[in-house]
């Protein structure tokens, strides 16, 4: 059972978090162009954010099976995952929506505001991606683990 739960957890992380990080990273570039690409990237982020709940759910189930639920590396990973989710839900997705609703186009009167919004969104996306990178490292290294890693 542990191997099945771990497999689902890892697959969910790859197949769900991966597309969010790529789509969110590309969004600021395309949001200022008059293109449906930005709307598609926003829909990808929004849709995969909902599916993303599977990652911590199966991660917790795996941790319970392995008996590591109280290990510091796991608790740290959970906190970082919660922070990443909050950044996505409270900052990135609303920022993307504002950019789409504002119809910031390159060369418009609000070009300065559009650039500032895109830069802020790119920074938030970078923070989101770094949080996930740290979680991945913690999952691989697992300080104090008995696997010798």
């Amino acid at each position: 059972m542990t191997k099945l739960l771990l497999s689902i957890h890892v697959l969910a992380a790859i197949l769900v978090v991966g597309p969010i990080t790529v789509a969110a990273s590309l969004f600021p570039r395309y949001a200022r162009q008059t293109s449906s690409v930005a709307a598609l990237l926003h829909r990808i982020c929004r849709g995969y954010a909902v599916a993303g709940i599977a990652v911590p759910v199966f991660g917790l189930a795996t941790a319970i099976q392995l008996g590591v639920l109280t290990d510091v590396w796991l608790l740290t990973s959970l906190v970082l995952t919660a922070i990443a989710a909050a950044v996505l839900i409270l900052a990135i997705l609303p920022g993307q929506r504002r950019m789409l609703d504002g119809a910031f186009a390159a060369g418009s009167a609000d070009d300065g505001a559009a650039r500032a919004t895109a830069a802020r969104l790119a920074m938030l996306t970078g923070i989101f991606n770094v949080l996930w990178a740290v979680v991945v490292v913690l999952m691989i290294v697992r300080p104090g683990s008995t696997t010798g890693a």
Side-chain angles (χ1 to χ4, degrees):
M1 181 56 104
T2 303
K3 289 180 183 181
L4 176 65
L5 290 171
L6 182 58
S7 296
I8 293 171
H9 171 63
V10 171
L11 282 171
I14 292 167
L15 298 175
V16 176
V17 177
I20 295 171
T21 59
V22 172
S25 295
L26 290 172
F27 182 89
R29 175 181 177 200
Y30 289 100
R32 296 185 56 235
Q33 300 174 3
T34 53
S35 168
S36 60
V37 174
L40 173 64
L41 293 170
H42 176 64
R43 277 196 312 273
I44 290 169
C45 290
R46 201 179 58 222
Y48 278 79
V50 172
I53 193 67
V55 177
V57 166
F58 283 100
L60 282 171
T62 304
I64 291 168
Q65 286 287 315
L66 291 172
V68 296
L69 198 53
T70 58
D71 287 7
V72 174
W73 65 270
L74 183 77
L75 296 173
T76 303
S77 295
L78 286 171
V79 168
L80 293 175
T81 297
I83 293 169
V87 168
L88 178 65
I89 294 166
L90 300 174
I92 294 173
L93 292 176
Q96 289 177 346
R97 183 79 262 156
R98 279 191 304 277
M99 284 202 75
L100 290 173
D101 291 345
F104 292 123
S108 72
D110 275 346
D111 197 41
R115 286 178 194 226
T117 303
R120 182 176 184 274
L121 203 49
M123 177 199 65
L124 289 167
T125 301
I127 291 168
F128 175 78
N129 293 344
V130 167
L131 287 167
W132 278 115
V134 172
V135 169
V136 168
V137 170
L138 284 171
M139 291 290 145
I140 293 169
V141 174
R142 300 179 326 186
S145 78
T146 58
T147 62

